[in-house]
Structure formats: C-alpha cells, structure tokens
Amino acid sequence: MENFSEVLSLFLVWDNFIAIAIGVFLGVVIGAIPGLTTTMAVALALPFTFSMEPVSAILLLVGIYKGGMYGGSITAILIRTPGTPASACTLLDGYPMAQNGEAKKALKMSLYSSVIADIISNISLIFFAAYLAKIALNFGAPEFFGLSVFP
C-alpha cells in the first residue's frame, strides 16, 4: 500500500494531466491521418521529451500511442481508409454503418471499445509484468534467436 500512495503522489500532478491531454490529442490527430502510424508519432515525439520530467514524458508518449490507436478508426469509419494498420478491421463494420447514417454510433462504439481494451490491457500489464520479467531474465541465445527470427 505504501508503493501505491507513492505512485499516486508522482502521478497526481497537473503537469502529468496536461501531458496526457496533449498526448491523446496529438495521437488522435496523427492517427487519423492515413499513412502516419502511432509508432511513428511516438518516435517523432521522443526528442521533445528529453527536457521533460520522466513521468510526464512517459505519460505524453503513452497518450500519443493510445490516442493514435483510436484516431486511426476515424478515417476508417468515415472515408474507408484506415489511419493506422490496427484500424483496418474497423472499416469492415464502421464504414457500412456510416453509409447508413450511423457514423456517430460507429465512432462511439470504436471509442468505447478502445477505452475498454486499454483498461483491460493496462490492468493485465500491472498484474503480469513481474512474472513476464522473471521469464525474460531466463532467456538465452536460442530464445533471443527465436525472437529475432519470428517477430
């Protein structure tokens, strides 16, 4: 419980909330542009984080990534061109809904599913990161070779 209060004291700062908001906004904008991926957006934003506080910098990059994951579905639903490769399947159901006049419903469904999936993945990471780290520390040459050959 002591660690939890320590983490909250690091996280609950206005600079962090501003970094998250800016990151999500930039992620949605960049994700909605076809051809620009969220990975590219994070890579382009990385030099700007060098002068920031570490927690704020990581939250900015996470916000860009999470916003970009949703942003790619906007163009997939509205103009049948996925903004990111991850949103390619969204156009299969989203674009026909937009053609039937249900674009707002499709965008809301995409937003809700993105948020729910992010929450589940974050909680899973919190609970399983230590176990995955223990497994990764036991990796040897054959495992690293398998990781490099089979990404």
Side-chain angles (χ1 to χ4, degrees), residues 58-74:
I58 290 173
L59 291 174
L60 174 76
L61 296 175
V62 168
I64 290 173
Y65 184 78
K66 303 264 183 190
M69 284 290 131
Y70 166 70
S73 65
I74 294 173

Side-chain angles (χ1 to χ4, degrees), residues 14 31 36 62 73 80 94 98 100 108-109 112 126 134 142-143:
W14 283 108
L36 297 180
V62 168
S73 65
R80 199 178 183 185
N100 292 335
K108 281 184 180 181
M109 287 173 52
Y112 296 152
I126 288 168
K134 287 179 185 176
E143 290 84 8

